[in-house]
Amino acid sequence: MLSQPISILAIGYHQPIMEVVHRLINSHGNWQGDLALSLDAARTKLAKGVYDAVLLCVGVSSEDEAILTQIMKTSLPEARMIRHFGGGSGLLESEIRKTMEQQPFK
């Protein structure tokens, strides 16, 4: 079970859906969510912030994912990338928990 705080940057390009994702992430006591609604916003937040996970959501293409992966290799090498395919709050929580529990934090 994850008990330490987890900072998550959720990236997606459909604002109403992303507002729901943001609310769901922040509904967990030890998760802190931040949103990026464009590739440029994601780049800026990744360069300035410290995140444990980057959640790729609606509209993020494979090309965008490749760009974000390169940025993370440089600025956030310990962060984990999670691709969220939709499907409700239970699936979102499961995807995040499964990924974050795969390796211990350093």
Side-chain angles (χ1 to χ4, degrees), residues 21-59:
V21 169
H22 189 242
R23 180 179 51 79
L24 291 171
I25 290 170
N26 286 316
S27 70
H28 290 273
N30 64 335
W31 294 1
Q32 174 59 47
D34 196 5
L35 286 181
L37 299 174
S38 69
L39 181 58
D40 286 339
R43 284 177 172 159
T44 299
K45 290 182 182 230
L46 287 172
K48 292 181 182 178
V50 176
Y51 298 99
D52 301 305
V54 175
L55 183 69
L56 305 181
C57 300
V58 64

Side-chain angles (χ1 to χ4, degrees), residues 9-28:
L9 175 61
I11 305 167
Y13 307 151
H14 189 265
Q15 185 169 353
I17 291 174
M18 294 309 297
E19 288 172 356
V20 172
V21 169
H22 189 242
R23 180 179 51 79
L24 291 171
I25 290 170
N26 286 316
S27 70
H28 290 273

Side-chain angles (χ1 to χ4, degrees), residues 57-86:
C57 300
V58 64
V60 178
S61 68
S62 57
E63 293 83 10
D64 293 349
E65 182 176 352
I67 292 167
L68 295 166
T69 298
Q70 284 305 113
I71 294 168
M72 288 174 64
K73 283 181 182 179
T74 308
S75 62
L76 295 170
E78 299 295 320
R80 297 168 183 108
M81 186 176 284
I82 306 164
R83 174 62 86 163
H84 176 57
F85 294 102

